[in-house]
Every structure is written in C-alpha cells, then in structure tokens.
Short mmCIF file of all heavy atoms in Angstrom, two decimals:
data_model
loop_
_atom_site.label_atom_id
_atom_site.label_comp_id
_atom_site.label_asym_id
_atom_site.label_seq_id
_atom_site.Cartn_x
_atom_site.Cartn_y
_atom_site.Cartn_z
N ASN A 1 170.25 103.69 -50.18
CA ASN A 1 171.18 102.58 -50.21
C ASN A 1 172.27 102.80 -51.21
O ASN A 1 172.99 101.78 -51.55
CB ASN A 1 170.53 101.25 -50.43
CG ASN A 1 169.49 100.96 -49.32
OD1 ASN A 1 169.73 101.09 -48.17
ND2 ASN A 1 168.28 100.57 -49.76
N GLY A 2 172.36 103.95 -51.79
CA GLY A 2 173.33 104.09 -52.94
C GLY A 2 174.35 105.21 -52.68
O GLY A 2 174.35 105.91 -51.68
N PRO A 3 175.22 105.35 -53.70
CA PRO A 3 176.25 106.35 -53.68
C PRO A 3 175.67 107.73 -54.04
O PRO A 3 174.54 107.81 -54.51
CB PRO A 3 177.24 105.84 -54.73
CG PRO A 3 176.43 105.14 -55.73
CD PRO A 3 175.34 104.48 -54.89
N PRO A 4 176.42 108.77 -53.84
CA PRO A 4 175.92 110.12 -54.23
C PRO A 4 175.71 110.14 -55.77
O PRO A 4 176.46 109.53 -56.48
CB PRO A 4 177.10 111.08 -53.79
CG PRO A 4 177.98 110.25 -52.93
CD PRO A 4 177.76 108.83 -53.28
N VAL A 5 174.76 110.92 -56.24
CA VAL A 5 174.46 111.12 -57.57
C VAL A 5 174.10 112.63 -57.85
O VAL A 5 173.73 113.33 -56.88
CB VAL A 5 173.29 110.21 -58.10
CG1 VAL A 5 173.63 108.72 -58.02
CG2 VAL A 5 172.00 110.53 -57.33
N LEU A 6 174.26 113.06 -59.05
CA LEU A 6 173.75 114.28 -59.51
C LEU A 6 172.47 114.07 -60.31
O LEU A 6 172.51 113.31 -61.27
CB LEU A 6 174.68 115.03 -60.39
CG LEU A 6 175.90 115.71 -59.67
CD1 LEU A 6 176.87 116.26 -60.70
CD2 LEU A 6 175.38 116.72 -58.70
N MET A 7 171.29 114.61 -59.83
CA MET A 7 170.06 114.49 -60.55
C MET A 7 169.79 115.66 -61.37
O MET A 7 170.00 116.83 -60.97
CB MET A 7 168.91 114.35 -59.53
CG MET A 7 168.99 113.14 -58.56
SD MET A 7 168.88 111.56 -59.42
CE MET A 7 167.25 111.64 -60.07
N LYS A 8 169.31 115.31 -62.64
CA LYS A 8 168.90 116.46 -63.59
C LYS A 8 167.48 116.85 -63.15
O LYS A 8 166.62 115.97 -63.05
CB LYS A 8 168.94 115.94 -65.01
CG LYS A 8 170.28 115.80 -65.58
CD LYS A 8 170.26 115.33 -67.03
CE LYS A 8 169.66 116.29 -67.99
NZ LYS A 8 170.34 117.53 -68.18
N GLU A 9 167.30 118.11 -62.97
CA GLU A 9 165.93 118.61 -62.54
C GLU A 9 165.30 119.26 -63.78
O GLU A 9 165.98 119.68 -64.71
CB GLU A 9 166.14 119.68 -61.47
CG GLU A 9 166.81 119.09 -60.27
CD GLU A 9 166.11 119.42 -58.94
OE1 GLU A 9 165.58 120.57 -58.87
OE2 GLU A 9 166.10 118.60 -58.09
N PRO A 10 164.01 119.31 -63.84
CA PRO A 10 163.27 119.89 -64.96
C PRO A 10 163.27 121.38 -65.02
O PRO A 10 162.24 122.08 -65.09
CB PRO A 10 161.89 119.27 -64.90
CG PRO A 10 161.69 119.07 -63.47
CD PRO A 10 163.07 118.73 -62.85
N LYS A 11 164.42 121.99 -64.80
CA LYS A 11 164.55 123.46 -64.72
C LYS A 11 165.74 123.92 -65.57
O LYS A 11 166.83 123.25 -65.59
CB LYS A 11 164.74 123.98 -63.32
CG LYS A 11 163.71 123.61 -62.31
CD LYS A 11 164.03 124.05 -60.90
CE LYS A 11 163.10 123.44 -59.89
NZ LYS A 11 163.60 123.56 -58.52
N ILE A 12 165.63 125.04 -66.23
CA ILE A 12 166.79 125.58 -66.97
C ILE A 12 167.58 126.40 -66.08
O ILE A 12 167.09 127.27 -65.32
CB ILE A 12 166.22 126.46 -68.21
CG1 ILE A 12 165.54 125.49 -69.20
CG2 ILE A 12 167.43 127.17 -68.92
CD1 ILE A 12 164.80 126.24 -70.30
N GLN A 13 168.89 126.23 -66.10
CA GLN A 13 169.82 127.02 -65.31
C GLN A 13 170.43 128.16 -66.22
O GLN A 13 170.57 129.27 -65.65
CB GLN A 13 170.97 126.13 -64.78
CG GLN A 13 171.98 126.92 -63.93
CD GLN A 13 173.09 126.01 -63.44
OE1 GLN A 13 173.60 125.23 -64.20
NE2 GLN A 13 173.39 126.17 -62.16
N PHE A 14 170.79 127.80 -67.39
CA PHE A 14 171.53 128.81 -68.21
C PHE A 14 171.28 128.54 -69.73
O PHE A 14 171.40 127.42 -70.16
CB PHE A 14 173.01 128.71 -67.88
CG PHE A 14 173.93 129.57 -68.67
CD1 PHE A 14 173.91 130.96 -68.51
CD2 PHE A 14 174.72 129.05 -69.61
CE1 PHE A 14 174.76 131.81 -69.19
CE2 PHE A 14 175.59 129.86 -70.36
CZ PHE A 14 175.57 131.25 -70.17
N VAL A 15 170.96 129.56 -70.44
CA VAL A 15 170.87 129.48 -71.92
C VAL A 15 172.04 130.20 -72.59
O VAL A 15 172.21 131.40 -72.42
CB VAL A 15 169.53 130.12 -72.38
CG1 VAL A 15 169.45 130.14 -73.89
CG2 VAL A 15 168.27 129.46 -71.77
N ASP A 16 172.83 129.36 -73.22
CA ASP A 16 174.14 129.84 -73.79
C ASP A 16 173.89 130.25 -75.32
O ASP A 16 174.40 129.57 -76.19
CB ASP A 16 175.15 128.73 -73.66
CG ASP A 16 176.59 129.25 -74.03
OD1 ASP A 16 176.91 130.35 -73.54
OD2 ASP A 16 177.21 128.64 -74.85
N ASP A 17 173.12 131.28 -75.52
CA ASP A 17 172.82 131.74 -76.85
C ASP A 17 172.72 133.27 -76.79
O ASP A 17 172.28 133.83 -75.78
CB ASP A 17 171.59 131.10 -77.38
CG ASP A 17 171.50 131.18 -78.85
OD1 ASP A 17 172.51 131.09 -79.57
OD2 ASP A 17 170.33 131.23 -79.44
N GLY A 18 172.98 133.95 -77.91
CA GLY A 18 172.88 135.41 -78.03
C GLY A 18 173.71 136.00 -76.87
O GLY A 18 174.92 135.71 -76.68
N PRO A 19 173.18 136.91 -76.05
CA PRO A 19 173.93 137.54 -75.05
C PRO A 19 174.41 136.58 -73.95
O PRO A 19 175.36 136.83 -73.20
CB PRO A 19 172.97 138.61 -74.43
CG PRO A 19 171.64 138.26 -75.02
CD PRO A 19 171.78 137.44 -76.18
N GLY A 20 173.82 135.41 -73.90
CA GLY A 20 174.25 134.43 -72.97
C GLY A 20 175.63 133.81 -73.27
O GLY A 20 176.29 133.37 -72.35
N LYS A 21 176.07 133.94 -74.54
CA LYS A 21 177.37 133.40 -74.90
C LYS A 21 178.54 134.13 -74.19
O LYS A 21 179.37 133.50 -73.60
CB LYS A 21 177.54 133.30 -76.45
CG LYS A 21 176.73 132.21 -76.95
CD LYS A 21 177.20 131.81 -78.37
CE LYS A 21 176.33 130.57 -78.80
NZ LYS A 21 176.87 130.03 -80.08
N PRO A 22 178.58 135.45 -74.24
CA PRO A 22 179.73 136.10 -73.56
C PRO A 22 179.62 135.97 -72.07
O PRO A 22 180.56 135.74 -71.41
CB PRO A 22 179.60 137.61 -73.98
CG PRO A 22 178.36 137.76 -74.80
CD PRO A 22 177.88 136.38 -75.16
N GLU A 23 178.32 135.84 -71.61
CA GLU A 23 178.16 135.63 -70.14
C GLU A 23 178.71 134.20 -69.76
O GLU A 23 179.31 134.00 -68.76
CB GLU A 23 176.59 135.66 -69.79
CG GLU A 23 176.09 137.14 -69.92
CD GLU A 23 174.61 137.22 -69.88
OE1 GLU A 23 173.99 136.15 -69.59
OE2 GLU A 23 174.01 138.20 -70.13
N GLY A 24 178.38 133.19 -70.60
CA GLY A 24 178.95 131.92 -70.34
C GLY A 24 180.39 131.80 -70.52
O GLY A 24 181.02 131.08 -69.70
N ILE A 25 180.97 132.45 -71.45
CA ILE A 25 182.48 132.47 -71.62
C ILE A 25 183.07 133.04 -70.40
O ILE A 25 184.04 132.50 -69.84
CB ILE A 25 182.78 133.29 -72.84
CG1 ILE A 25 182.44 132.54 -74.16
CG2 ILE A 25 184.32 133.61 -72.87
CD1 ILE A 25 182.48 133.34 -75.46
N ASP A 26 182.49 134.15 -69.86
CA ASP A 26 183.07 134.75 -68.65
C ASP A 26 182.92 133.82 -67.45
O ASP A 26 183.88 133.65 -66.71
CB ASP A 26 182.39 136.11 -68.39
CG ASP A 26 183.04 136.83 -67.21
OD1 ASP A 26 184.20 137.18 -67.26
OD2 ASP A 26 182.31 137.05 -66.22
N ARG A 27 181.76 133.21 -67.34
CA ARG A 27 181.47 132.38 -66.18
C ARG A 27 182.23 131.16 -66.16
O ARG A 27 182.80 130.72 -65.12
CB ARG A 27 179.97 132.10 -66.12
CG ARG A 27 179.56 131.19 -64.97
CD ARG A 27 178.13 130.75 -65.05
NE ARG A 27 177.25 131.97 -64.93
CZ ARG A 27 175.95 131.89 -65.09
NH1 ARG A 27 175.33 130.72 -65.28
NH2 ARG A 27 175.25 132.97 -65.07
N PHE A 28 182.40 130.39 -67.28
CA PHE A 28 182.96 129.10 -67.33
C PHE A 28 184.45 129.04 -67.85
O PHE A 28 185.10 128.11 -67.44
CB PHE A 28 182.10 128.15 -68.16
CG PHE A 28 180.69 128.06 -67.64
CD1 PHE A 28 179.62 128.62 -68.28
CD2 PHE A 28 180.46 127.31 -66.45
CE1 PHE A 28 178.37 128.47 -67.73
CE2 PHE A 28 179.25 127.16 -65.94
CZ PHE A 28 178.09 127.81 -66.64
N ILE A 29 184.77 130.06 -68.61
CA ILE A 29 186.20 130.07 -69.16
C ILE A 29 187.01 131.08 -68.38
O ILE A 29 188.15 130.87 -68.04
CB ILE A 29 186.17 130.36 -70.64
CG1 ILE A 29 185.48 129.22 -71.36
CG2 ILE A 29 187.64 130.38 -71.20
CD1 ILE A 29 185.24 129.42 -72.87
N GLY A 30 186.47 132.21 -68.14
CA GLY A 30 187.12 133.33 -67.36
C GLY A 30 188.09 134.12 -68.18
O GLY A 30 188.79 134.88 -67.58
N ARG A 31 188.02 133.94 -69.50
CA ARG A 31 188.90 134.79 -70.33
C ARG A 31 188.14 135.22 -71.62
O ARG A 31 187.35 134.42 -72.16
CB ARG A 31 190.10 134.05 -70.90
CG ARG A 31 191.10 133.71 -69.78
CD ARG A 31 192.34 133.09 -70.42
NE ARG A 31 193.29 132.75 -69.34
CZ ARG A 31 194.44 132.32 -69.61
NH1 ARG A 31 194.84 132.12 -70.82
NH2 ARG A 31 195.28 132.07 -68.62
N ARG A 32 188.39 136.42 -72.09
CA ARG A 32 187.77 136.88 -73.35
C ARG A 32 188.52 136.20 -74.43
O ARG A 32 189.75 136.13 -74.48
CB ARG A 32 187.91 138.39 -73.47
CG ARG A 32 187.13 138.96 -74.65
CD ARG A 32 187.48 140.41 -74.89
NE ARG A 32 187.35 141.22 -73.66
CZ ARG A 32 186.42 142.17 -73.47
NH1 ARG A 32 185.49 142.41 -74.41
NH2 ARG A 32 186.38 142.89 -72.35
N PRO A 33 187.77 135.66 -75.51
CA PRO A 33 188.46 135.01 -76.57
C PRO A 33 189.29 135.99 -77.37
O PRO A 33 188.96 137.17 -77.44
CB PRO A 33 187.35 134.49 -77.44
CG PRO A 33 186.12 134.50 -76.65
CD PRO A 33 186.36 135.53 -75.52
N ILE A 34 190.36 135.48 -77.99
CA ILE A 34 191.04 136.36 -79.01
C ILE A 34 190.78 135.85 -80.41
O ILE A 34 191.10 136.59 -81.38
CB ILE A 34 192.60 136.35 -78.77
CG1 ILE A 34 193.18 134.95 -78.83
CG2 ILE A 34 192.97 136.92 -77.37
CD1 ILE A 34 194.71 134.90 -78.83
N PHE A 35 190.04 134.73 -80.51
CA PHE A 35 189.69 134.24 -81.82
C PHE A 35 188.32 133.50 -81.66
O PHE A 35 188.15 132.69 -80.80
CB PHE A 35 190.72 133.15 -82.24
CG PHE A 35 190.66 132.60 -83.61
CD1 PHE A 35 191.68 132.89 -84.53
CD2 PHE A 35 189.55 131.80 -84.00
CE1 PHE A 35 191.52 132.30 -85.84
CE2 PHE A 35 189.47 131.32 -85.26
CZ PHE A 35 190.51 131.54 -86.20
N ALA A 36 187.38 134.00 -82.43
CA ALA A 36 185.99 133.37 -82.31
C ALA A 36 185.37 133.26 -83.67
O ALA A 36 185.49 134.11 -84.53
CB ALA A 36 185.14 134.23 -81.39
#
C-alpha cells in the first residue's frame, strides 16, 4: 500500500579502501584525480 522505496540489504556491495579507492573513483567519478 505504499510508494516505492530502496531497502538496505545485509550485504556489502563495495569496500572503498585500499585498492578499492581508485576503483571507486573510476566507477563513481569517472576521472583520475589531479590532487589527492
């Protein structure tokens, strides 16, 4: 009886640490930083 919602599930999708940081930058920003 309700509107659409996004539910958080008990699963990890992405860990943005270590090698995950450049992967996350590429995936979500789409550009290599020039200043970090």
